[in-house]
Amino acid sequence: MNQQDSLQAKLPTPWGDFVIHALETDDGKEHIAMTFGEWDKEQAVLARIHSECLTGDALFSLRCDCGFQLRAALEKIAEEGSGVLLYLRQEGRGIGLTNKIRAYSLQDQGMDTVQANEHLGFGADERDFKVASDALDILGVSKIRLMTNNPRKVSSMKDAGIDVVERVPLKFGQNPHNAMYLSTKQSKLGHLF
């Protein structure tokens, strides 16, 4: 992964003025980091590792809790005065947008999110969080307070050498449209609510 100094800019948001950083992996995927404030190398930085969800983040879908968590994380980082949000291009748990919509169609027919992904020939979760540890290293972050309900993210960061000193829960966006989705995340993927 690489970051060029020229690939960052101010990004004003409803929660405050962030800095957006363009990050590119060796396979050509473009990810972003949004940073707020400053920190030193020894500080445990509040961080969110967020996988792209076009439907939830940009189109306000109620099928998931992604958009709600994204907005809550940005707000918490701004309130804290410093932090990092990594936005990873891993749509649909890593299966891509078109396959995610195929999975939605299967869910409309009664499958849960894991069953739909597996029916399409994918694993329950195809995401790779190694890119997140690389991005944090580029940003000078070695210790984090990770905003997540996903214990896999915690263990992935620890396995990659990032010191996760605290898991900060994100309980936002529960509604009747995503009840089965959240139940599946808890029962089949081990998410902590």
Side-chain angles (χ1 to χ4, degrees):
M1 172 171 283
N2 61 64
Q3 175 197 25
Q4 297 177 10
D5 291 341
S6 62
L7 297 179
Q8 66 181 37
K10 294 177 184 175
L11 187 70
T13 74
W15 307 282
D17 295 339
F18 283 76
V19 174
I20 189 168
H21 307 257
L23 305 165
E24 188 174 340
T25 53
D26 294 336
D27 63 2
K29 279 192 178 177
E30 298 172 326
H31 308 276
I32 64 167
M34 292 174 63
T35 59
F36 193 91
E38 297 180 8
W39 53 84
D40 62 54
K41 187 77 172 166
E42 298 306 312
Q43 182 178 345
V45 178
L46 185 62
R48 167 78 179 153
I49 299 166
H50 190 89
S51 294
E52 176 182 30
C53 178
L54 178 70
T55 53
D57 298 340
L59 301 177
F60 312 106
S61 171
L62 297 176
R63 291 186 82 123
C64 63
D65 56 348
C66 303
F68 299 100
Q69 289 186 349
L70 175 63
R71 291 182 289 282
L74 291 170
E75 183 176 7
K76 281 185 175 212
I77 289 168
E79 285 174 0
E80 176 121 342
S82 66
V84 175
L85 182 130
L86 298 179
Y87 195 86
L88 305 181
R89 303 297 300 275
Q90 302 188 108
E91 180 73 49
R93 296 194 174 279
I95 67 173
L97 182 59
T98 301
N99 284 319
K100 176 181 176 176
I101 294 169
R102 286 186 179 111
Y104 276 178
S105 180
L106 293 169
Q107 291 168 37
D108 289 344
Q109 299 170 39
M111 291 187 187
D112 66 34
T113 187
V114 170
Q115 292 167 331
N117 281 16
E118 290 173 346
H119 182 81
L120 293 171
F122 299 105
D125 191 340
E126 296 279 334
R127 294 177 294 177
D128 177 5
F129 295 114
K130 171 75 170 93
V131 65
S133 65
D134 294 344
L136 290 171
D137 188 52
I138 287 171
L139 296 168
V141 176
S142 60
K143 293 181 188 176
I144 59 174
R145 295 171 34 241
L146 184 59
M147 289 185 277
T148 188
N149 299 323
N150 183 351
R152 182 173 168 241
K153 283 184 190 175
V154 174
S155 60
S156 292
M157 291 300 92
K158 288 181 177 181
D159 290 347
I162 302 296
D163 185 7
V164 181
V165 300
E166 178 185 6
R167 182 187 71 83
V168 179
L170 275 177
K171 293 182 173 181
F172 296 93
Q174 295 89 347
N175 66 73
H177 302 284
N178 67 14
M180 182 176 172
Y181 169 78
L182 295 176
S183 175
T184 301
K185 282 173 69 171
Q186 185 174 26
S187 65
K188 291 188 175 181
L189 299 172
H191 285 227
L192 306 169
F193 295 107

